[in-house]
Amino acid sequence: MKKTVLALSAAALLFVGLSPQAAASETHGASHEKHWDYSENGPTHWKEFSKTCGTGKHQSPVNIIPGKTMSMNHDYDLSMHEDVSTKAKIIDNGHSIKVTPERAGTITLHGEEFKLLQFHFHGKSEHTVNGKRYDMVAHMVHQNPKTKQLAVVAIFFTEGKASPILDTVINNVGKVAELDPQDLLPDDSGHYYHYVGSLTTPPCSENVQWYLLKTPKTASAEQIEHFRKYYVDNERPVQELHDRVIEAN
């Protein structure tokens, strides 16, 4: 039986401007008498929990139309350094399967280093490409320790060959396991879409750097189904692009 999603997605727990400790907390919304979710208090009601969800003009996710992208601003080229073998805590936190590494890799953009805080999964991709949702997605959430800005790297999954790191996650929910976050990445992680958006759940805070890798990873049908037994509809509808542009390389 699929669980009802009643709490924040892992990305929404990270307020832009908070310390890494506060950003990693799971207590936001605890004082509300009612909680947002993906059903009764779903996305059309999220403005009741955070005004930005209803009025923000730089919201995520969005639909990517490859033919309408602009060339990448090379100041924001992404350099990934995720190859760190580490113990990681794997939990079902009530809204996603979340993995928090003890030792973290980094990414670099615009001359600044962002540290990996955690990664989590959605039963279907939130962003779409030419209107298509991918079978699953992993969001790797990073934070600049100086400015507290967030940067999220999205890895799409399509049905195919099983992924060993997904087996590690699946088999160790509620435990600590050894893994390497780089194993989430496709062989080609150097081509991506980039834009500035928001958290995809309340409080929908903006000024989040989004990188969506063009090359998907594969996951077996059994692995996809396993994640969807937990959460299959924990994705926000696509938001208007407004005055933003999507960059690509």
Side-chain angles (χ1 to χ4, degrees), residues 198-212:
S198 74
L199 303 179
T200 61
T201 50
C204 306
S205 305
E206 297 184 336
N207 196 32
V208 176
Q209 298 284 344
W210 275 95
Y211 290 85
L212 300 97

Side-chain angles (χ1 to χ4, degrees), residues 38 43-44 46 53 56-65 124-134 156 195 198-200 212 234-242 244 246:
Y38 291 94
T44 58
W46 286 359
C53 298
K57 299 299 184 184
H58 293 165
Q59 291 289 289
S60 297
V62 298
N63 179 45
I64 307 294
I65 303 175
K124 300 173 188 173
S125 72
E126 296 198 288
H127 291 81
T128 59
V129 179
N130 280 331
K132 172 193 173 183
R133 287 192 189 278
Y134 283 84
F156 297 126
Y195 77 104
S198 74
L199 303 179
T200 61
L212 300 97
N234 60 340
E235 67 273 349
R236 187 187 192 187
V238 166
Q239 304 296 298
E240 292 291 334
L241 194 60
H242 293 295
R244 292 173 291 175
I246 307 294

Side-chain angles (χ1 to χ4, degrees), residues 84-226:
V84 177
S85 182
T86 178
K87 291 182 179 180
K89 184 177 181 181
I90 303 170
I91 64 170
D92 170 9
N93 64 9
H95 44 82
S96 67
I97 302 302
K98 174 184 171 184
V99 181
T100 304
E102 291 184 1
R103 297 173 56 243
T106 61
I107 60 174
T108 304
L109 59 105
H110 203 242
E112 297 283 343
E113 186 174 83
F114 290 67
K115 179 182 177 182
L116 177 65
L117 295 181
Q118 50 96 345
F119 58 89
H120 61 273
F121 301 88
H122 292 263
K124 300 173 188 173
S125 72
E126 296 198 288
H127 291 81
T128 59
V129 179
N130 280 331
K132 172 193 173 183
R133 287 192 189 278
Y134 283 84
D135 294 325
M136 203 171 82
V137 70
H139 288 165
M140 302 180 76
V141 183
H142 304 75
Q143 188 177 52
N144 184 321
K146 294 186 293 185
T147 67
K148 311 309 178 187
Q149 185 181 24
L150 299 178
V152 183
V153 177
I155 302 99
F156 297 126
F157 286 84
T158 57
E159 185 178 327
K161 184 179 178 181
S163 166
I165 191 172
L166 294 188
D167 276 341
T168 299
V169 172
I170 288 168
N171 294 329
N172 290 282
V173 176
K175 303 176 184 178
V176 173
E178 189 84 16
L179 53 75
D180 186 339
Q182 180 167 274
D183 293 340
L184 276 176
L185 303 178
D187 291 338
D188 178 6
S189 60
H191 294 88
Y192 40 79
Y193 303 105
H194 168 254
Y195 77 104
V196 180
S198 74
L199 303 179
T200 61
T201 50
C204 306
S205 305
E206 297 184 336
N207 196 32
V208 176
Q209 298 284 344
W210 275 95
Y211 290 85
L212 300 97
L213 303 187
K214 291 183 177 180
T215 302
K217 286 279 283 187
T218 61
S220 69
E222 292 78 11
Q223 289 175 325
I224 293 169
E225 179 60 25
H226 184 95

Side-chain angles (χ1 to χ4, degrees), residues 12-95:
L13 301 172
L14 306 172
F15 286 82
V16 177
L18 290 185
S19 68
Q21 292 79 11
S25 73
E26 300 173 16
T27 58
H28 176 78
S31 62
H32 292 300
E33 292 184 0
K34 64 177 183 178
H35 298 272
W36 67 266
D37 54 34
Y38 291 94
S39 54
E40 182 179 353
N41 294 310
T44 58
H45 295 279
W46 286 359
K47 60 182 178 290
E48 300 168 19
F49 301 91
S50 175
K51 182 179 178 181
T52 304
C53 298
T55 63
K57 299 299 184 184
H58 293 165
Q59 291 289 289
S60 297
V62 298
N63 179 45
I64 307 294
I65 303 175
K68 294 185 177 181
T69 59
M70 297 185 65
S71 296
M72 191 72 197
N73 176 349
H74 293 301
D75 286 342
Y76 285 88
D77 284 348
L78 178 66
S79 178
M80 304 188 72
H81 315 281
E82 305 283 14
D83 189 8
V84 177
S85 182
T86 178
K87 291 182 179 180
K89 184 177 181 181
I90 303 170
I91 64 170
D92 170 9
N93 64 9
H95 44 82

